[in-house]
Structure formats: C-alpha cells, structure tokens
Amino acid sequence: MRVDGLDAVPAVHLDALAAEGLYGASVPRQAGGLGLDLRTTCAVTEELASGCLATTFVWLQHRGLIMTLAAESTQAALRDQWLGPACQGKIRGGIALTGLIPGPPLLRAQPADGGWRVDGAAPWVTGWGLIDLLLVVARGPGDSVVSLIMDAADSPGLTVTRQRLAAVNASVTVQLDFDGVMVPRERLAGQEPFDPAASLRPDRLRINGSLGLGVAGRCARLLGPGPLDDELAACRARLDAALDADVAAMAQARAAAAELAVRSAAALAVRDGSKSIMADAHPRGSPAKRCSCWFSDPGRRSKARCCTSSAPRPARGHGQLSEPASRSSDTPRKHCPSSQRNATLVHCR
C-alpha cells in the first residue's frame, strides 16, 4: 500500500531486479539473458508479485520489448544496439500493443518521409518515466501490424495523460495519444500480416495469471496454513495446463486466479478488521504483520534466485545513456548506486 501511495515505483526496486539479471530473464543465455523457460519465468513473476505488485507490473512490460529485440526477424542493427543493455536493465522498456487488438484499429502506422507516421491512441502504457524505450505495435498498410521502437519521451504530436488507478497506481500507467508522431525508419522492428488471434495465444496470456497468484500467495502466507494453500496450487496447475489447451481454457484459468486473489485479499482484510485499510496499520518491526517488499527479504530473494543461479550475471553498473534520447526533466529515472542495492527498500504495506 505504501508503494501504491507514491507517485511512481521507486527506481531502486527496478535496479534490484536488474542486478539479479531479471531484465533478461527470458532471453537465451547465448544472447546475454538468463534463458528461463516460460514456466520458470511465471514462477519468478509470481514470487515478485507477492512482494510488490506495482514493481512487478512495471518490470513485466519489459519482456515485450526484449523478446522483440531477441527475435531473429528483428533488424540486426536494433538487436546489436539494444539487446545487451536491455538484458542488463541499463535500458528499460514498455509496450503499447494496441495494434494487436481485434476490431477497428485504434492505432495506425503509415510509411512517411524518413520513417513511419503513427496516429491514434494507446490507452494503457505502463511505466512512463521509468522506461527508456517503447515497443509500439500499430496496424499498418494492407491489414498488417507494424512493430516500432520509439523513445519513451516527449515527442512532437505525442500527448501523455496519466491514468489514475485504484491499485498499482505507482506503475505510472498513462494513455498515449499519437497525432502524426514520426518514428525513424531504422526503428522498424518488423511487419507481418494482422492475425486477430495473435494476442490471445495461451503462451502470451499465461504470465499475467502469475500476478494474481502472487497476490493470493502473499495473502495466504499472512493468513497462515489453510485451504487457500491448496486452492493456490490448483489455480497454478490449471494455468499451466491451459498452455496446451485453447484460448477459452486460458481465459477461464486466468479468471480463476484473479478471483482467488480477490477472495484471498478479502479474507485477510476480514481477519485483520478495519486496520487492514490503513497504510500505516502494521509496524515494520513485526515480521508477522507486515508485507515487506520481496527485495528486502533475503530468503524470498533466494527462492526466486534458485531459478537463475547458474545463469551469467549482467554488469551491475549503470552508465549514462546516449541512446535513446533522455526523457523530460520532470520525470527522470535515477539509478541507485550499487552500494545501496542491498539496503532495505520501501515496504509495500
């Protein structure tokens, strides 16, 4: 709750993830990542979400950018320039996948002099001010989808509107309105025929279910051993099984995980009574009555790290970025010195 009360997720949280190599979690080891498969990535996501949902939500957006950069179909120049720094978390990404949504296009990209002109709206873009690059997927000519990588910064024709959320508000989710925004041709990551089913592939949807599982798991730990533990395991198994099923099965499994998260949170609130809605109700010094961030708990860090212990570690230092262009002065991203990365971080209470 304390993190959600902030205007943005503390950059130190994201620095901690970068220090563990998690910004390159799904990228093959030979390309500089940790080489985690989907199920392991989901397990890590669940564990992180149980510590701080807003932080995990911001971090998860990066996966769309980095998997695009790692794809063989992406221009080699883009891959060579950004894949390494993106795996290390030196460059951080967000996504605007509006062009994948079935129905009339909300976001269009058309060839123009020197590149691509983007028009329309992306209602949900997370991490603004915390990211450097934005993967934009828009509907292109001939019923295609065009993937572009643009700087996550002020640009002529781009209007940024903050979305105020009831939860994970610190994720800095915004609406982007594009009015003739120009993206250089060398930022084209790919173009392919539009497939209405592409955004509904079970493997693309599974990882989001881990967010709900993480919330439910944290509530279950605070409540103590009980029937929620078995329900959590059953929801996780159902999501995994849906990977080999159809879209409807995955949708139902994700809904079940979300329902369990809501019900678990309600059970915890009922047990703790009126104090459960107070941000400062539980003293930090009481381990049994606090939700400290995952990052400040060595035991829980080890639980997630066990998936990545044999993977190569990225460089920990953050240099000054010359590319992409820096964001506006009112939304800087401040990197935490390595000496502070293991300090106790902001508590999500």
Side-chain angles (χ1 to χ4, degrees):
M1 290 178 67
R2 187 175 178 188
V3 167
D4 263 2
L6 302 175
D7 195 54
V9 167
V12 67
H13 288 191
L14 304 176
D15 291 343
L17 297 180
E20 297 297 334
L22 291 174
Y23 269 88
S26 299
V27 175
R29 294 186 182 185
Q30 60 268 27
L34 298 183
L36 305 187
D37 60 21
L38 179 60
R39 281 183 167 81
T40 306
T41 300
C42 289
V44 172
T45 302
E46 179 181 337
E47 185 66 20
L48 294 177
S50 73
C52 184
L53 183 60
T55 299
T56 308
F57 194 42
V58 173
W59 163 76
L60 192 56
Q61 313 304 307
H62 182 79
R63 188 173 187 269
L65 171 71
I66 202 164
M67 297 307 289
T68 296
L69 289 173
E72 293 183 359
S73 58
T74 298
Q75 292 188 59
L78 294 178
R79 189 164 54 249
D80 294 343
Q81 180 181 7
W82 284 326
L83 181 57
C87 284
Q88 298 170 10
K90 292 181 178 180
I91 289 178
R92 298 169 187 176
I95 53 175
L97 307 183
T98 315
L100 295 177
I101 299 174
L106 301 176
L107 194 61
R108 287 188 175 276
Q110 298 293 329
D113 291 341
W116 293 82
R117 174 186 170 122
V118 183
D119 293 278
W124 300 102
V125 176
T126 292
W128 196 257
L130 298 168
I131 58 176
D132 304 290
L133 296 175
L134 183 68
L135 173 65
V136 177
V137 180
R139 209 73 64 84
D143 202 27
S144 64
V145 286
V146 176
S147 297
L148 303 165
I149 299 176
M150 62 178 285
D151 296 337
D154 291 342
S155 178
L158 184 67
T159 301
V160 182
T161 305
R162 178 74 181 256
Q163 303 276 30
R164 292 295 174 179
L165 309 180
V168 296
N169 188 59
S171 65
V172 197
T173 296
V174 302
Q175 172 169 318
L176 297 182
D177 291 289
F178 297 77
D179 184 8
V181 175
M182 293 300 301
V183 181
R185 64 166 59 93
E186 59 268 21
R187 297 290 192 93
L188 174 67
Q191 184 175 6
E192 58 187 4
F194 171 61
D195 179 4
S199 63
L200 301 175
R201 281 173 29 195
D203 61 308
R204 291 184 174 179
L205 299 176
R206 166 62 181 91
I207 197 167
N208 289 334
S210 295
L211 300 174
L213 294 181
V215 173
R218 166 47 65 94
C219 293
R221 281 196 287 268
L222 291 173
L223 286 166
L228 284 178
D229 297 325
D230 292 336
E231 290 190 67
L232 180 63
C235 269
R236 188 182 302 113
R238 185 176 179 182
L239 281 163
D240 287 339
L243 284 169
D244 301 319
D246 56 15
V247 172
M250 180 58 75
Q252 292 166 5
R254 289 178 67 197
E259 187 274 338
L260 179 62
V262 172
R263 184 156 44 85
S264 300
L268 183 61
V270 169
R271 189 201 69 174
D272 288 351
S274 58
K275 66 182 180 181
S276 65
I277 63 172
M278 300 174 65
D280 295 323
H282 307 303
R284 294 185 190 178
S286 174
K289 290 191 173 183
R290 75 181 188 187
C291 292
S292 63
C293 257
W294 171 87
F295 315 104
S296 63
D297 186 330
R300 295 179 64 218
R301 289 178 68 162
S302 296
K303 182 177 177 182
R305 190 182 293 130
C306 70
C307 301
T308 64
S309 59
S310 61
R313 287 281 177 262
R316 289 176 177 251
H318 285 286
Q320 295 295 319
L321 296 177
S322 57
E323 276 288 324
S326 61
R327 57 179 50 81
S328 60
S329 60
D330 61 336
T331 55
R333 191 183 82 208
K334 297 180 181 180
H335 291 297
C336 176
S338 58
S339 61
Q340 299 177 13
R341 284 191 179 127
N342 291 324
T344 299
L345 307 184
V346 176
H347 292 75
C348 300
R349 300 184 302 159

